[in-house]
Amino acid sequence: GRIQGHLDSDLTEEGISQAIACGQHLAAEPIEAFYSSDMGRAQHTARLIAESMNRRPALSAIASPALRERAFGEGEGLTYTEMDATFPEAFSRERAVDEHYAVPGGESKRQFHDRVTAALGELAQDDELGDLGPVRGVRRGAGAHAVAQGDGHVVGSQDVEDLVDRDPDPARAGG
């Protein structure tokens, strides 16, 4: 696939199916609100998840630019192979990289982590929201690491693919 970053794109048929399955999987969870990146594909995913939960009234996603995916600047639109060849310091699936390195026009892993963690902390402290209770993070791709490695505001976080491929609750999975 290609690195999206802040480029927006439509969900694929697979992405749509995964979002619907994710909503069905989460239907019994006590979810009261969705917070999402303001990118179209993230909003579409959140809307499909919410609709698939069959709640009345339906939940809606609250969009925040602070929850956007990592910005890859000049690397956006490249394949992972092209990114690794052009900007080997940015990231690699095979080796550790400098968390402070940013592709020109993008943000580093550290900046991304700090931005998303701060946004989650602000949500948790927002007086207008009241007590959110436990927050369940559902994310795709690179956002997984920023959310999962947050500072304690998120108590459970799984990639959409993980939710639809296997059930983390052995009692519900029959095992």
Side-chain angles (χ1 to χ4, degrees):
R2 297 202 174 268
I3 297 166
Q4 296 290 311
H6 287 193
L7 295 177
D8 215 348
S9 62
D10 294 331
L11 289 178
T12 63
E13 288 301 316
E14 180 182 15
I16 291 169
S17 295
Q18 289 173 338
I20 292 169
C22 182
Q24 293 167 347
H25 177 86
L26 295 174
E29 299 235 1
I31 296 172
E32 297 179 22
F34 278 96
Y35 296 88
S36 170
S37 159
D38 62 344
M39 301 296 291
R41 66 181 177 272
Q43 287 289 289
H44 189 193
T45 300
R47 186 174 61 253
L48 289 169
I49 291 171
E51 290 170 357
S52 300
M53 292 176 72
N54 292 319
R55 300 274 175 89
R56 299 293 175 253
L59 296 172
S60 60
I62 300 163
S64 171
L67 296 176
R68 275 189 177 190
E69 295 77 351
R70 181 177 170 191
F72 282 100
E74 294 177 17
E76 291 178 359
L78 298 179
T79 65
Y80 289 95
T81 301
E82 292 167 339
M83 176 69 119
D84 197 40
T86 308
F87 303 106
E89 302 85 3
F91 69 89
S92 173
R93 294 178 181 191
E94 291 81 36
R95 64 182 182 280
V97 296
D98 180 1
E99 69 177 6
H100 299 286
Y101 174 80
V103 172
E107 63 187 333
S108 69
K109 282 178 70 173
R110 173 55 44 196
Q111 290 168 324
F112 173 61
H113 176 271
D114 291 349
R115 172 174 53 84
V116 173
T117 300
L120 293 171
E122 288 174 22
L123 286 174
Q125 300 300 320
D126 190 334
D127 290 335
E128 291 181 27
L129 297 175
D131 180 15
L132 289 178
V135 175
R136 175 67 168 267
V138 177
R139 74 283 188 258
R140 301 188 79 99
H145 302 294
V147 173
Q149 296 171 8
D151 62 0
H153 297 297
V154 177
V155 298
S157 182
Q158 295 171 286
D159 198 285
V160 170
E161 288 86 350
D162 289 343
L163 283 172
V164 300
D165 289 343
R166 59 182 161 73
D167 193 319
D169 182 348
R172 287 195 301 221

